[in-house]
Amino acid sequence: MSGFLRVPGLEPLAPVRVTDRERALACMAASVLLDYPDPGPDRDERLAAVRSGVAGLPEPVRSRLAGFVDHALTQDPQALARAYVDTFDLKRKCSMYLSYFVTGDTRRRGTALVRFVEAYRAAGWEVGRNELPDFLPIVLEFTAVGDAELGTALLAAHREGVEVLRSALTSLRSPWAAVVEAVCLVLPRPSADVEDRLLQLITAGPPTEMVGLNALGPLEPFAPGGARNEEVRA
């Protein structure tokens, strides 16, 4: 009998042909849906705005984003918020921080985070919330309303992290898996090198050398364009 087990593979997702506007709408919707689900009084209105905003997207993308909205609207807001924390804050392979999948909490993490900050600043943007710059919803928002080409390049450069996140969420049968799938559908297909690194990450997980990140310093206001895209968020 073999002493090896096959690592469960993900079903390949063929990229969907989308216009620049459709990709921006998909990324903005995913940014909203992958962010912490604030259980405040405007929650249902916010989700309804996302559902309306994605109505014209290609079916494979629309069905995943709208399907998550439908699910969220049936959930108790507090319960959904707790599920979010249990999923993304307590499970390493469900980290929402893209550079973590490649660097873990190692000395390279600070440098990776600075690269995100520099990319945003090169396009005239700054992060205006108390969050690390590689937080997936921030990268998606930047791709939607900041610099689409640079944002897409950031996502492509960290495609392994996005795919590991998709794998982990799929294994958990998490409703957020559909949202990450929607993101993957509007990105170019990963290269063979990326797929090889992805398999290694799925198997081993992120590096675990623990160091501080205080050298990164504070981030400045991320508000050159004002509020989030109103097409998908009220």
Side-chain angles (χ1 to χ4, degrees), residues 97-104 108-109 112-113 116 134 158 207:
Y97 299 94
L98 294 182
S99 67
Y100 176 73
F101 289 100
V102 177
T103 67
R108 294 181 294 155
R109 182 84 189 279
L113 292 174
F116 280 87
D134 63 339
H158 294 83

Side-chain angles (χ1 to χ4, degrees), residues 31 41 44 56 106 143 157 165-166 168 178 181 190 209 233:
S31 172
D44 289 1
T106 69
T143 305
L165 176 60
R166 179 167 77 94
E181 286 178 358
E209 177 189 359
R233 183 167 187 173

Side-chain angles (χ1 to χ4, degrees), residues 90-127:
L90 303 180
K91 295 177 174 62
R92 289 177 63 233
K93 289 185 180 180
C94 291
S95 173
M96 203 78 81
Y97 299 94
L98 294 182
S99 67
Y100 176 73
F101 289 100
V102 177
T103 67
D105 287 318
T106 69
R107 293 176 177 84
R108 294 181 294 155
R109 182 84 189 279
T111 301
L113 292 174
V114 168
R115 289 197 183 105
F116 280 87
V117 174
E118 290 175 343
Y120 299 152
R121 289 178 177 170
W125 289 72
E126 299 275 347
V127 177

Side-chain angles (χ1 to χ4, degrees), residues 59-166:
E59 193 283 328
V61 182
R62 180 185 69 248
S63 62
R64 286 168 168 82
L65 295 171
F68 178 84
V69 170
D70 291 343
H71 166 79
L73 287 171
T74 67
Q75 302 301 299
D76 173 75
Q78 297 290 344
L80 188 65
R82 288 194 299 271
Y84 183 94
V85 171
D86 289 344
T87 299
F88 296 109
D89 292 356
L90 303 180
K91 295 177 174 62
R92 289 177 63 233
K93 289 185 180 180
C94 291
S95 173
M96 203 78 81
Y97 299 94
L98 294 182
S99 67
Y100 176 73
F101 289 100
V102 177
T103 67
D105 287 318
T106 69
R107 293 176 177 84
R108 294 181 294 155
R109 182 84 189 279
T111 301
L113 292 174
V114 168
R115 289 197 183 105
F116 280 87
V117 174
E118 290 175 343
Y120 299 152
R121 289 178 177 170
W125 289 72
E126 299 275 347
V127 177
R129 58 185 290 188
N130 187 25
E131 190 56 85
L132 292 176
D134 63 339
F135 185 51
L136 180 55
I138 288 179
V139 184
L140 290 168
E141 180 178 355
F142 175 72
T143 305
V145 300
D147 186 308
E149 184 175 3
L150 191 52
T152 301
L154 283 172
L155 290 168
H158 294 83
R159 183 62 182 265
E160 301 99 319
V162 177
E163 292 287 353
V164 172
L165 176 60
R166 179 167 77 94

Side-chain angles (χ1 to χ4, degrees), residues 180-193:
V180 178
E181 286 178 358
V183 172
C184 294
L185 287 172
V186 299
L187 295 178
R189 185 185 292 278
S191 67
D193 287 344

